[in-house]
Amino acid sequence: MNISKMVVYFFPLLFIIYGVVAQPPNPPPPKWQTLSGYPPLVVARGGFSGIFPESSQYAYQFAVSPSSIKNVVLFCDLQLTKDSIGICKTDLRLDNSTNIASIFPKRGNAYEVNGQPIRGWFSVDFTAEELFNNVTLVQNIYSRPSIFDGVMPISTIDDVQGLKPPQLWLNVQYSTFYKEHKLDVLNFIKLASQDIHFNFISSPEIGFLKNVDVSSMKTKPKLIFRFLDVDSVEPTSNKTYGDLLEDLVNIKTFASGILVQKEYIWPVDHKGYLAPSTGLVTHAHRVGLEVYASGFANDVPGSYNNNYDPVDEYLQFIDNSKFSVDGVVTDFPSTASEAIGKPLVITHNGASGIYPGSTDIAYKQAVDDGADIIDCSVQMSKDGILFCLDSADLSGSTTAMPKFMSKSTTIPEIQNNTGIFTFDLTWIEIQSLKPNLVSPYSSLGLVRNPAAKNMGKILTLSEFLSFAKNSSVPGVLINIKNAPYLASKKGLSIVDAVSTALANASYDKDKTKRVLIQSDDSSVLSAFKKKNTLYEYVLLIPEQVGDAPKPTVDEIKQFANAINVIRSSLMAYDGAFISHYTNVTTEMHKSNISVYVSVLRNEFTTIAYDFFSDPIVEIATFVGGIGVDGLITEFPATARAYLRTPCSNLNAKLSYTILPVEAGGIAGLAAPESLPPAQSPAPPLRPVDVVDPPLPDVANLANPAQAQTPGSEPKESGQLSNAAFNTHLCILIMMLSFFCLRHQ
């Protein structure tokens, strides 16, 4: 082949190779090895049935209390009364968990259930009025407390819905039995679903699940096939559940997931030790089925491998290197929550204690340190480019001084002191600056990492979002400041620009990455919430508060899922000692609002003497004592180190446990006259403090420098964009190919 022919073939081949190489890399796997990538669910069987009578009012109320993870699922085993009222009770026989046998001693009966004769007291023989007016619940496991026996009536499915649970799971164990007694479970569910929001419906009967009409329900529940003992026979197919386990592809045709006893996944041998895992979870995930494991209880020891530590048993199912179940069904939802619901580690400008904040290397370090959420405080340049930087004032976090001293000004709406502001410089001008590593306590001789003082690159929001999406980090926090000023004075809509940037990066529909939108302005959060309900919303409360009255909490709940408060809003100080802990976290948790605390730093000067100048002990107090949901820190490695150590588990019987500190413990040992004066109590958080006026309209300002659409990716100076480069490359290839053909 001559040279010209080789060139003709070579350039199209080069074009194909370039197209392959230019494809973006596959994103890394999410943090959790569940089918969705989200944390496993905690499913409370009959509520908190480990302490209270199963399916009682107290059991369900405690299951949705702050002691459990906030999206806990309440599990109701459906039974039908003679007059077709739905009640929640696990065993088909009522005499083991109620006092019905002593109230109606002559009304026991015997029925054949799935081919087996069973004698007892059954709901199908009683009207709802007979049960509710005469029968009370008792604890059906004798090793558990009996002090609540005879106090509470049987719960209806409507009673459970009345608690407004985050999610509700309906299990239908005996559909065929009720059909034999002229009771239609399918019709009951169809009618009930008009008012009750079922998130999951499970059954061990294939025929029943295939006939559930999900399309007619307001919420579209997931259908879950429940496996019984491997040798039991499923009534529709007449196959054993062991045989059905071999054909999960067929199960996927009518169900979204399976519910199995935990031994299906981790068998226990005859000596009481774990056998190797079966591979069931991996196989089910491969065919698209979620897997829920049942049978968890603190007072029913698992294997000897767990050493009577229930948290260790949960971790075996959700945090091993090979798989994670999608949920656990438990009698003790608070313990399962401990294993799953560790507080988030959220960065403050990345790992800004090590590298200049909001730079590429600060974010990379944060990911390497195990942060759950990396943050970007969004600023805007004069020409509308979005980028990450802690403050709109460039003078502290960059080398803007003295280069742009002539552009310094005072803007009372933003800060009292003079500054050089991002919206007064173009993006090209900002790119000419170097970042500064801020040392907040340098006046005390505590300087951070001098070798990295001006290292790193400031990232655009687009670059930040791309980095986060292609990293292992589970989510991002976008902090929005100064929105009213930018709209009214600079003609810049930061809300629209950020929303566009998130959509361009496909975060608006991506369920594998969490997006937290934070602002100290409620109108910003409300504006975003109208655009996207998939995001989570965080109200920043930078002022110290001492209380969170219910009217204020109710206002916050209208537009936010969480609050971010400073440390002194959760623990009050007298000098450098802790005087008491506030009730802010407790009050927020009552309304299912998460609480994040900021900003945590390692310098000993920021840490109260009560914590022994140890940042780990401070973190232990926020997590184990106060119960925060997130730690916003400039040193994510420190927070992650605490959460990873076994010493952070308060229930573990170890030789050493990192305990929360009791407020006032050290100061109480000193003579009263030697203590600093007691500080005045911080004011309560009022509704007027959290509700802001609507955002102003965006001013129509002539801005000749605005060459790009807000939120778009800026072009690097002196470089072609990817699109332009690809276009020129294609033209060049075509021209060369044509030239070679002409000269063959």
Side-chain angles (χ1 to χ4, degrees):
M1 183 180 291
N2 61 36
I3 297 298
S4 61
K5 287 184 178 181
M6 289 177 63
V7 173
V8 170
Y9 290 109
F10 172 74
F11 276 102
L13 179 61
L14 176 64
F15 180 75
I16 295 171
I17 294 173
Y18 174 78
V20 173
V21 173
Q23 297 302 314
N26 291 326
K31 177 183 176 183
W32 290 98
Q33 293 180 293
T34 55
L35 185 62
S36 67
Y38 284 129
L41 291 174
V42 174
V43 185
R45 187 192 70 86
F48 208 128
S49 52
I51 299 297
F52 304 99
E54 174 258 314
S55 299
S56 66
Q57 176 189 346
Y58 287 174
Y60 283 126
Q61 284 178 337
F62 256 73
V64 295
S65 72
S67 65
S68 296
I69 205 165
K70 65 180 181 180
N71 63 337
V72 66
V73 185
L74 296 189
F75 187 96
C76 169
D77 259 304
L78 180 68
Q79 312 288 352
L80 293 181
T81 64
K82 188 176 185 179
D83 47 351
S84 199
I85 300 298
I87 63 174
C88 297
K89 214 77 209 69
T90 294
D91 197 323
L92 189 63
R93 297 164 295 184
L94 299 179
D95 44 303
N96 188 39
S97 57
T98 73
N99 64 350
I100 193 169
S102 60
I103 301 298
F104 299 105
K106 297 182 179 180
R107 293 181 63 177
N109 220 326
Y111 293 114
E112 188 174 280
V113 181
N114 294 339
Q116 299 295 322
I118 297 179
R119 180 165 185 81
W121 279 253
F122 299 84
S123 62
V124 294
D125 295 325
F126 297 86
T127 65
E129 184 177 0
E130 286 179 307
L131 294 178
F132 300 150
N133 292 340
N134 300 284
V135 177
T136 56
L137 299 170
V138 300
Q139 179 59 261
N140 63 338
I141 296 178
Y142 297 131
S143 61
R144 294 175 177 177
S146 60
I147 60 173
F148 305 104
D149 289 1
V151 175
M152 290 168 284
I154 293 173
S155 297
T156 67
I157 187 66
D158 295 286
D159 293 332
V160 182
Q161 174 67 21
L163 294 173
K164 298 181 179 179
Q167 298 190 73
L168 182 57
W169 184 314
L170 189 71
N171 182 61
V172 180
Q173 197 78 358
Y174 303 103
S175 173
T176 301
F177 173 78
Y178 289 112
K179 192 172 184 179
E180 293 169 352
H181 289 266
K182 313 299 183 192
L183 293 169
D184 191 338
V185 178
L186 288 169
N187 188 55
F188 171 83
I189 292 175
K190 183 177 181 180
L191 295 174
S193 65
Q194 302 307 307
D195 299 311
I196 299 174
H197 298 161
F198 299 119
N199 301 95
F200 300 86
I201 296 177
S202 62
S203 176
E205 299 180 10
I206 293 176
F208 169 78
L209 286 178
K210 286 186 174 181
N211 286 300
V212 175
D213 184 11
V214 173
S215 63
S216 67
M217 303 182 189
K218 288 183 179 179
T219 55
K220 303 297 184 271
K222 293 181 178 180
L223 300 182
I224 308 296
F225 181 58
R226 185 172 192 175
F227 281 80
L228 303 182
D229 295 336
V230 291
D231 295 326
S232 297
V233 176
E234 192 279 322
T236 306
S237 63
N238 287 324
K239 295 181 178 179
T240 67
Y241 288 96
D243 290 335
L244 292 172
L245 194 65
E246 302 301 318
D247 192 9
L248 293 183
V249 173
N250 180 54
I251 303 297
K252 181 67 175 90
T253 62
F254 60 86
S256 299
I258 59 176
L259 172 61
V260 298
Q261 282 288 319
K262 59 186 181 182
E263 289 78 16
Y264 267 82
I265 300 168
W266 283 100
V268 178
D269 65 23
H270 67 283
K271 294 181 179 179
Y273 289 93
L274 284 179
S277 62
T278 61
L280 169 61
V281 178
T282 302
H283 179 42
H285 283 177
R286 192 177 297 125
V287 301
L289 286 168
E290 294 180 330
V291 181
Y292 298 89
S294 65
F296 292 93
N298 294 6
D299 51 4
V300 180
S303 69
Y304 289 121
N305 302 72
N306 303 127
N307 298 310
Y308 302 101
D309 181 355
V311 172
D312 185 67
E313 183 180 25
Y314 288 115
L315 293 175
Q316 169 188 308
F317 284 82
I318 66 174
D319 195 20
N320 62 69
S321 61
K322 296 180 181 179
F323 63 83
S324 170
V325 297
D326 300 277
V328 292
V329 181
T330 175
D331 293 4
F332 292 83
S334 63
T335 307
S337 300
E338 291 174 18
I340 295 170
K342 293 288 188 183
L344 294 173
V345 176
I346 306 173
T347 66
H348 184 246
N349 307 312
S352 55
I354 301 174
Y355 293 111
S358 305
T359 60
D360 55 345
I361 55 176
Y363 290 127
K364 183 180 184 303
Q365 185 67 50
V367 173
D368 292 344
D369 289 342
D372 297 303
I373 306 290
I374 57 174
D375 70 306
C376 171
S377 286
V378 180
Q379 310 299 338
M380 295 189 81
S381 66
K382 185 176 181 178
D383 44 352
I385 301 304
L386 302 173
F387 62 97
C388 303
L389 202 65
D390 183 52
S391 171
D393 182 4
L394 294 162
S395 57
S397 54
T398 73
T399 56
M401 294 286 283
K403 184 175 182 178
F404 292 107
M405 186 180 294
S406 61
K407 296 195 177 186
S408 63
T409 185
T410 302
I411 303 177
E413 296 96 323
I414 296 179
Q415 63 186 39
N416 294 326
N417 54 310
T418 299
I420 301 171
F421 294 96
T422 62
F423 40 76
D424 290 331
L425 274 68
T426 65
W427 175 241
I428 290 178
E429 290 175 319
I430 293 170
Q431 281 183 299
S432 70
L433 304 175
K434 292 182 178 180
N436 269 339
L437 175 54
V438 177
S439 298
Y441 308 104
S442 58
S443 62
L444 301 174
L446 302 177
V447 178
R448 293 177 173 176
N449 197 6
K453 180 172 176 57
N454 298 121
M455 291 176 62
K457 168 193 169 186
I458 297 173
L459 297 183
T460 65
L461 177 60
S462 176
E463 290 171 330
F464 169 82
L465 293 174
S466 177
F467 168 78
K469 177 152 283 193
N470 291 303
S471 75
S472 60
V473 72
V476 296
L477 182 147
I478 307 299
N479 186 33
I480 297 177
K481 305 177 180 181
N482 310 318
Y485 178 85
L486 290 171
S488 61
K489 303 296 184 182
K490 297 296 177 179
L492 298 170
S493 174
I494 192 169
V495 170
D496 289 341
V498 170
S499 181
T500 299
L502 287 166
N504 289 342
S506 303
Y507 277 83
D508 58 333
K509 296 174 181 157
D510 187 352
K511 293 184 178 181
T512 66
K513 295 284 188 182
R514 295 176 68 174
V515 176
L516 283 65
I517 304 294
Q518 175 179 282
S519 181
D520 60 353
D521 193 318
S522 64
S523 60
V524 170
L525 301 181
S526 297
F528 260 102
K529 200 169 184 180
K530 290 178 182 177
K531 294 174 179 287
N532 194 310
T533 57
L534 185 63
Y535 302 154
E536 301 168 54
Y537 297 97
V538 184
L539 177 67
L540 174 64
I541 305 173
E543 299 83 15
Q544 181 183 354
V545 298
D547 191 13
K550 189 175 186 304
T552 308
V553 176
D554 291 341
E555 286 287 354
I556 293 173
K557 196 170 178 63
Q558 300 301 312
F559 53 81
N561 312 98
I563 61 169
N564 175 3
V565 295
I566 59 177
R567 293 179 297 175
S568 57
S569 290
L570 302 183
M571 50 178 65
Y573 296 82
D574 279 340
F577 295 97
I578 302 299
S579 61
H580 66 277
Y581 299 131
T582 72
N583 68 346
V584 170
T585 301
T586 302
E587 295 304 315
M588 291 294 170
H589 281 173
K590 286 180 181 178
S591 293
N592 206 27
I593 297 175
S594 298
V595 177
Y596 306 146
V597 60
S598 64
V599 173
L600 302 188
R601 300 182 172 105
N602 285 1
E603 286 91 347
F604 70 90
T605 53
T606 72
I607 301 169
Y609 290 133
D610 304 70
F611 304 130
F612 319 121
S613 300
D614 185 342
I616 290 287
V617 178
E618 182 185 42
I619 291 170
T621 303
F622 278 120
V623 174
I626 297 176
V628 299
D629 305 283
L631 305 164
I632 298 180
T633 175
E634 296 177 347
F635 296 89
T638 304
R640 183 55 62 194
Y642 165 75
L643 295 174
R644 282 176 176 159
T645 176
C647 301
S648 66
N649 183 358
L650 301 182
N651 296 319
K653 294 178 173 58
L654 302 175
S655 59
Y656 173 71
T657 302
I658 306 172
L659 297 174
V661 168
E662 181 182 352
I666 292 182
L669 301 175
E673 62 272 13
S674 66
L675 295 173
Q679 295 183 2
S680 300
L685 189 62
R686 303 169 301 166
V688 69
D689 298 326
V690 300
V691 179
D692 297 286
L695 290 173
D697 293 333
V698 178
N700 185 15
L701 303 178
N703 187 0
Q706 188 154 347
Q708 293 192 236
T709 303
S712 64
E713 176 67 22
K715 308 296 188 296
E716 293 289 342
S717 176
Q719 295 182 359
L720 291 173
S721 69
N722 286 339
F725 179 75
N726 290 344
T727 302
H728 289 128
L729 179 63
C730 292
I731 293 172
L732 176 63
I733 291 169
M734 292 172 63
M735 290 177 63
L736 287 170
S737 299
F738 177 75
F739 174 80
C740 293
L741 285 169
R742 290 289 304 271
H743 289 80
Q744 288 188 65

